[in-house]
Amino acid sequence: MQTNIYHIAYTPEIAEVCIFFWGCNLECKGCYCKRWIWDSMVKEYLLEHLADPPSGIAQAPNKFLNLTELIDILDTLNIKSIIYTGQEPSLDPAYQLITKTVHQRYKCQNTLYTNLYTMPPLKDTDRVEFGMKALTNSIHMAYTGKSNITILDNFVKLYQSKTNIIIEAVLIPGLINADEIERMAKYISVLSKEIPFIILPYFKSGDNPWHRPSATEMDDAVQMASKHLKNVHCFYGNEKLSYEVKSIFPAIIDTQCWPVSSHCLHGTS
């Protein structure tokens, strides 16, 4: 069975696999895949992740795995956990089969990173990391091209299902400001003040006017969100890697996928 998987990264010290899927149902203006389609934590390319990228859009991947090829690769690894990420994994028709197969084969924890615009069968998904773009619908529509009404409805249903949830939001000064981050946190707190909320910094991606937030801007957003939630954290974007991350597929990353082209790309960051 063919999949939308184009990249696999692996952290041997903690036996964690990240599987990257192509294709999305939102059109986020700041999608990180416009900048860099590979795992940004792969050791050889970490400095490129931190640097200012060329302007424009990264090239799309041109090689995708089928399910047999995926399992052949995973069989060579020691696996405790798998993260399904990239653009939008839930769109892959093989998602349910993939998660069921690896659960049975490796007894690992499955974590889905998703925008929640659609909800795949989650029987073999242990945890969901919800990438929340904005609470204010007008901001959400301006950023992603779509309303967040269905997304917020799916979030409530997901919470009611007692699924293990983590929420991430990206601070984008000039668009998703600290006051919008606070509105998200207040909304989440109505369901539970205990849900972990992680604030990530925007990195220049695509042809947008926004800048990467400063440490002070990140701290201010954490402080405002913490008025409503008990478990708020942030990353500043310059943290040192605790463990080495390797690209398993492709074995050698084509750095020409970073320079700009005229391709149109949709993403979920």
Side-chain angles (χ1 to χ4, degrees):
M1 184 174 187
Q2 189 62 41
T3 77
N4 297 333
I5 296 168
Y6 70 93
H7 177 41
I8 301 173
Y10 180 57
T11 308
E13 286 82 359
I14 57 175
E16 181 179 87
V17 175
C18 286
I19 298 178
F20 288 71
F21 293 75
W22 195 252
C24 194
N25 42 20
L26 299 183
E27 300 180 12
C28 298
K29 292 180 178 178
C31 175
Y32 193 85
C33 286
K34 292 182 177 182
R35 170 193 178 103
W36 184 245
I37 68 173
W38 315 110
D39 190 327
S40 59
M41 296 295 102
V42 172
K43 180 180 178 182
E44 292 86 346
Y45 305 103
L46 183 59
L47 293 180
E48 293 182 355
H49 160 67
L50 295 175
D52 288 334
S55 60
I57 307 301
Q59 294 179 9
N62 55 23
K63 168 64 176 174
F64 299 88
L65 297 173
N66 61 43
L67 183 56
T68 299
E69 291 170 327
L70 171 65
I71 297 303
D72 286 345
I73 291 172
L74 296 182
D75 276 350
T76 68
L77 307 174
N78 174 34
I79 301 174
K80 292 183 180 178
S81 64
I82 297 180
I83 298 173
Y84 302 87
T85 182
Q87 292 197 317
E88 183 48 55
S90 69
L91 295 182
D92 195 322
Y95 178 79
Q96 183 179 13
L97 180 58
I98 292 169
T99 54
K100 179 180 179 179
T101 300
V102 301
H103 245 175
Q104 294 176 347
R105 197 174 186 93
Y106 311 116
K107 313 303 179 187
C108 59
Q109 174 176 277
N110 286 326
T111 298
L112 169 65
Y113 186 88
T114 177
N115 60 36
L116 278 184
Y117 194 79
T118 60
M119 284 184 62
L122 297 175
K123 179 180 178 182
D124 288 285
T125 299
D126 304 293
R127 182 172 65 186
V128 171
E129 294 192 15
F130 168 31
M132 195 174 192
K133 313 307 176 187
L135 181 68
T136 304
N137 199 29
S138 59
I139 297 176
H140 195 279
M141 291 187 70
Y143 183 61
T144 72
K146 293 187 179 178
S147 167
N148 65 359
I149 293 175
T150 297
I151 291 171
L152 295 180
D153 184 53
N154 283 338
F155 169 51
V156 173
K157 291 176 181 177
L158 184 68
Y159 174 76
Q160 291 173 341
S161 73
K162 301 189 183 302
T163 300
N164 185 0
I165 306 172
I166 295 175
I167 299 177
E168 295 184 358
V170 179
L171 179 66
I172 309 178
L175 182 69
I176 314 295
N177 295 304
D179 58 348
E180 182 65 11
I181 295 291
E182 182 179 9
R183 281 190 282 269
M184 294 185 213
K186 187 175 181 180
Y187 176 83
I188 296 164
S189 71
V190 174
L191 295 180
S192 173
K193 295 181 181 295
E194 306 292 337
I195 297 175
F197 187 52
I198 300 173
I199 304 171
L200 304 175
Y202 170 74
F203 280 82
K204 181 69 177 176
S205 182
D207 295 322
N208 296 307
W210 313 305
H211 66 269
R212 175 179 165 187
S214 66
T216 299
E217 288 173 315
M218 295 300 298
D219 290 338
D220 287 346
V222 169
Q223 184 177 14
M224 294 177 72
S226 296
K227 296 177 187 177
H228 309 282
L229 297 172
K230 296 180 180 180
N231 192 6
V232 180
H233 304 281
C234 78
F235 289 94
Y236 298 97
N238 58 359
E239 288 82 4
K240 293 183 178 180
L241 287 181
S242 299
Y243 307 103
E244 181 180 0
V245 180
K246 300 179 179 180
S247 178
I248 302 300
F249 176 81
I252 299 177
I253 290 177
D254 180 5
T255 56
Q256 291 184 354
C257 285
W258 186 6
V260 258
S261 71
S262 59
H263 293 297
C264 178
L265 177 66
H266 303 312
T268 61
S269 176

